Amino acid sequence: MSLTVVFDTNILLSGIGWGGKPYQCLELAREGFIGGVICQEILDEFIEKLEIKLKFSANQITDTIADLMSFLRLVKISNSLKFLADDPADDKVLECALIANADYIITGDRRHLLPLGNYKGIKIYTASDFIKLVNE
């Protein structure tokens, strides 16, 4: 049985922009070893970060999104989850994982998401910890 994973925006950005463990996580999804899931809200935030942080052109953004969508499954969320009072923007990640029946959320968010450890049975890991897990 394949694991289903939601990648937080910071993992997508790091994987595309800098490589390393986040890139390795994305490659696991690209190669079909895990099932990657995303929602439009995470995608929108990612597009904004590509423009602002990586200074991607419109063509680079289009190509990057087309590439990601070739191996990530898009799910629709209702934006009704209100769990993280300190950072309501992260609720979309939790809701996406719930809707997708994900096994894991992969994130670099050490302030809000990682301290949870899990949410309703969905484990929350760093990219590095997730790579260690799949290599065991």
Side-chain angles (χ1 to χ4, degrees):
M1 183 172 141
S2 179
L3 298 174
T4 301
V5 176
V6 171
F7 300 109
D8 194 359
T9 305
N10 54 55
I11 296 298
L12 296 170
L13 191 66
S14 294
I16 298 298
W18 296 280
K21 301 292 186 205
Y23 175 78
Q24 290 175 29
C25 288
L26 293 175
E27 286 302 295
L28 288 171
R30 181 189 307 280
E31 295 165 9
F33 291 112
I34 62 173
V37 179
I38 196 165
C39 61
Q40 189 62 52
E41 291 76 2
I42 294 172
L43 207 50
D44 291 344
E45 181 181 38
F46 177 58
I47 290 168
E48 180 182 315
K49 300 295 182 192
L50 287 174
E51 290 173 329
I52 295 168
K53 293 193 179 239
L54 297 183
K55 308 289 188 222
F56 271 31
S57 69
N59 285 340
Q60 287 174 302
I61 291 170
T62 299
D63 291 347
T64 300
I65 298 307
D67 176 53
L68 281 178
M69 297 314 296
S70 73
F71 63 89
L72 296 179
R73 178 172 53 101
L74 185 68
V75 297
K76 185 170 179 53
I77 66 171
S78 64
N79 288 300
S80 60
L81 184 69
K82 306 291 183 228
F83 179 76
L84 292 167
D86 286 353
D87 192 3
D90 283 336
D91 284 336
K92 66 181 167 289
V93 177
L94 298 175
E95 188 174 354
C96 182
L98 279 174
I99 297 291
N101 293 313
D103 301 292
Y104 292 89
I105 293 170
I106 310 303
T107 183
D109 184 341
R110 297 187 183 281
R111 192 159 176 215
H112 303 107
L113 293 176
L114 286 167
L116 295 174
N118 77 75
Y119 178 73
K120 298 195 176 191
I122 303 163
K123 296 169 191 75
I124 303 173
Y125 277 30
T126 63
S128 182
D129 288 342
F130 186 73
I131 292 297
K132 284 181 203 166
L133 173 79
V134 297
N135 285 333
E136 289 178 349

